[in-house]
Amino acid sequence: MNARQPAGKRQVSATAFPNSHRLTKTDEFSSVFGFRKALKSTHFLLHYRLRAAEEVAGARLGLVVAKRLVRRSVDRNLIRRLARENFRMMRCRLPSRDLILRLAARPEPLDRRALADEIRKLLEKMITPER
């Protein structure tokens, strides 16, 4: 017997990536870009903004992968999947911030493992305390 839970009663695991962990609105993206704080790596910029105390705790992620840098949609989607997966696995350790991961340079060649490592290292920089 397989009983299903009603749609409103679903439990979210610690490693899930529901809409509450995503930046979805233009205003949310604008506020992060307006804060003008970012970490840089070879191919990515990680923009971030501290969240106010009255906001729900936890990190949220937005992604920007420009078509002019990566023409094929398959490759853009791969980069997004890698970013979401790394964020999902590290979210419980990240401070309460809004993050936008933006592809800033064309990755030539498109190496899945190297991009995943680069994304993971950027997110790990968010975990270490600022000096």
Side-chain angles (χ1 to χ4, degrees):
M1 183 179 258
N2 187 4
R4 290 185 147 199
Q5 293 179 344
K9 298 290 183 182
R10 288 188 184 141
Q11 290 185 353
V12 178
S13 73
T15 57
F17 191 58
N19 284 341
S20 62
H21 298 170
R22 304 173 191 222
L23 297 178
T24 56
K25 299 178 182 161
T26 304
D27 292 342
E28 295 169 344
F29 277 83
S30 297
S31 68
V32 176
F33 285 130
F35 195 64
R36 305 185 61 81
K37 295 278 188 180
L39 300 173
K40 186 176 171 106
S41 70
T42 307
H43 297 104
F44 294 98
L45 281 171
L46 181 64
H47 299 271
Y48 62 92
R49 178 184 73 89
L50 300 172
R51 297 187 63 196
E54 64 271 2
E55 293 179 299
V56 177
R60 296 189 306 167
L61 178 69
L63 298 168
V64 178
V65 182
K67 191 177 193 178
R68 68 181 176 82
L69 294 176
V70 181
R71 296 298 298 169
R72 293 178 20 165
S73 62
V74 172
D75 296 334
R76 289 194 307 273
N77 290 334
L78 169 69
I79 293 169
R80 288 186 194 109
R81 275 196 315 276
L82 292 172
R84 283 192 298 263
E85 179 66 12
N86 280 293
F87 175 80
R88 186 179 69 80
M89 297 305 284
M90 298 177 71
R91 184 179 184 275
C92 61
R93 298 184 348 226
L94 290 168
S96 183
R97 295 185 177 165
D98 287 341
L99 308 171
I100 296 177
L101 185 69
R102 183 172 68 119
L103 185 66
R106 180 171 308 180
E108 295 282 341
L110 194 66
D111 181 11
R112 174 189 296 247
R113 182 166 286 146
L115 290 173
D117 288 341
E118 190 175 339
I119 293 167
R120 186 173 31 262
K121 287 176 185 172
L122 264 178
L123 290 172
E124 285 173 353
K125 285 182 184 179
M126 294 300 300
I127 294 170
T128 59
E130 293 180 23
R131 294 181 177 111

